[in-house]
Amino acid sequence: MGDWLFGTIITGIVLTIGWVFFTEILPRMAADRAARPPEQPLTQLPGEEHQQIVTVDAETSIASTKMTHDIFLGEADDLLLQVRSAGMFADNLLVDAADKVNDAIKLRPGSFDANVMAGEIAVKRAMLAEADEAVGLLEQAAVHFATAAEAKKGVIDTYVGRAWSHLERAHRLEGDKAAAAYLDASEVFLKGFRVSPQNLFILRGWGIAIDGLARTMGDRAEPVIAAEEGYRLALAEHRGGDHELHQWYAGIREADEPVRMPMPAVRDRY
């Protein structure tokens, strides 16, 4: 009985000492160790002790970003020129040009030039793509042209590009989706007409959009009647009611197949 009691006391003492060591002494030793400076100095690169910290002011940083942005645009522009004679390799060149322009936009998201070029490239790629991919590219193009319009107000090219992106998208859709895209195009053409009432690209694209809307929804649909009424008022205002455009519009409305026109150039590069 005495041996058992003595053993129990000894075991209790050992456990108590162990508990105090692991919960109090050991954590404190680790903390002291961490607080001490390292015995081995940190590794330094050769010559690092002589290097000076170079500060770049905001103006220099902006200028550098602009220069890099312009380099990307220049490279993209060169690729676009190559596309004109690239034949079956045109799509690959357009993808490379899109990458360059996207890099420029990352540097300057609100850049007018970069967004107009990005919209143009997306439309060109859509002309070579399958329907589903083309619709996505044309949606991107419309966003780029809208961004460019916000960056520089009143430039008619942004309205032409954005409206034509919706128009080409509508040609590739059916039913309600096509009707919505034709309406989007018609509304942007109207805004463009208010900026430049004499622009023929605006008036011809607008007429094609309304014709597509009528073929999709029917001649007597309310949106068609409203859009056509606004268009006829615009024709009456254009150059004092140009009879040539009245005849042209009557011709596409009576045609068996819808009339399509390629998007005009939106940048005077040539």
Side-chain angles (χ1 to χ4, degrees), residues 220-235:
R220 305 312 302 166
E222 185 175 336
V224 176
I225 294 173
E228 195 164 56
E229 181 180 349
Y231 183 63
R232 292 190 185 281
L233 289 173
L235 291 184

Side-chain angles (χ1 to χ4, degrees), residues 5 16-17 26 49 61 66 70 72 76 96-97 103 107 126 139 164-165 167-168 170 192-193 197 205 216 219 261 263:
L5 181 60
T16 300
I17 293 172
L26 188 59
E49 64 277 6
S61 177
K66 175 68 166 58
D70 292 347
F72 284 137
D96 291 342
D103 287 338
L107 291 172
E139 289 173 347
W164 230 281
S165 300
L167 185 58
E168 287 292 343
F193 174 78
T216 303
D219 292 346
M261 290 174 55
M263 186 182 80

Side-chain angles (χ1 to χ4, degrees), residues 39-269:
E39 297 174 2
Q40 180 89 15
L42 296 176
T43 303
Q44 291 185 332
L45 295 175
E48 188 180 48
E49 64 277 6
H50 302 298
Q51 293 180 0
Q52 296 181 350
I53 298 175
V54 179
T55 59
V56 179
D57 60 77
E59 186 175 344
T60 302
S61 177
I62 291 172
S64 176
T65 298
K66 175 68 166 58
M67 182 179 66
T68 307
H69 160 276
D70 292 347
I71 290 172
F72 284 137
L73 288 191
E75 292 175 348
D77 208 31
D78 288 340
L79 290 167
L80 283 179
L81 290 175
Q82 295 177 44
V83 166
R84 299 170 64 185
S85 58
M88 62 184 296
F89 300 104
D91 189 48
N92 292 335
L93 290 172
L94 287 171
V95 171
D96 291 342
D99 290 340
K100 295 292 185 182
V101 174
N102 287 336
D103 287 338
I105 290 175
K106 288 176 183 176
L107 291 172
R108 304 186 72 195
S111 166
F112 173 83
D113 292 330
N115 278 285
V116 169
M117 191 184 294
E120 178 191 10
I121 292 170
V123 172
K124 289 181 181 296
R125 290 180 63 194
M127 298 300 103
L128 302 175
E130 298 294 331
D132 291 342
E133 182 184 0
V135 168
L137 288 168
L138 292 165
E139 289 173 347
Q140 294 175 25
V143 171
H144 284 303
F145 285 121
T147 303
E150 289 298 317
K152 191 178 291 188
K153 304 286 187 181
V155 179
I156 194 61
D157 285 352
T158 62
Y159 294 95
V160 171
R162 183 181 174 190
W164 230 281
S165 300
H166 290 310
L167 185 58
E168 287 292 343
R169 183 166 59 89
H171 291 332
R172 291 162 173 76
L173 297 171
E174 296 179 353
D176 292 343
K177 292 182 178 180
Y182 281 124
L183 277 173
D184 287 341
S186 179
E187 290 173 359
V188 178
F189 279 125
L190 172 57
K191 293 177 181 177
F193 174 78
R194 289 170 178 164
V195 171
S196 180
Q198 305 304 327
N199 189 285
L200 281 175
F201 291 129
I202 288 289
L203 287 166
R204 292 189 185 278
W206 191 3
I208 293 172
I210 296 173
D211 177 64
L213 182 65
R215 292 174 188 270
T216 303
M217 300 186 70
D219 292 346
R220 305 312 302 166
E222 185 175 336
V224 176
I225 294 173
E228 195 164 56
E229 181 180 349
Y231 183 63
R232 292 190 185 281
L233 289 173
L235 291 184
E237 181 180 343
H238 173 74
R239 293 179 183 171
D242 193 327
H243 293 290
E244 178 188 346
L245 278 174
H246 283 285
Q247 294 172 1
W248 171 83
Y249 181 65
I252 68 169
R253 293 293 289 113
E254 294 171 359
D256 293 333
E257 297 294 330
V259 174
R260 295 176 67 168
M261 290 174 55
M263 186 182 80
V266 293
R267 291 183 304 129
D268 185 13
R269 299 181 296 110

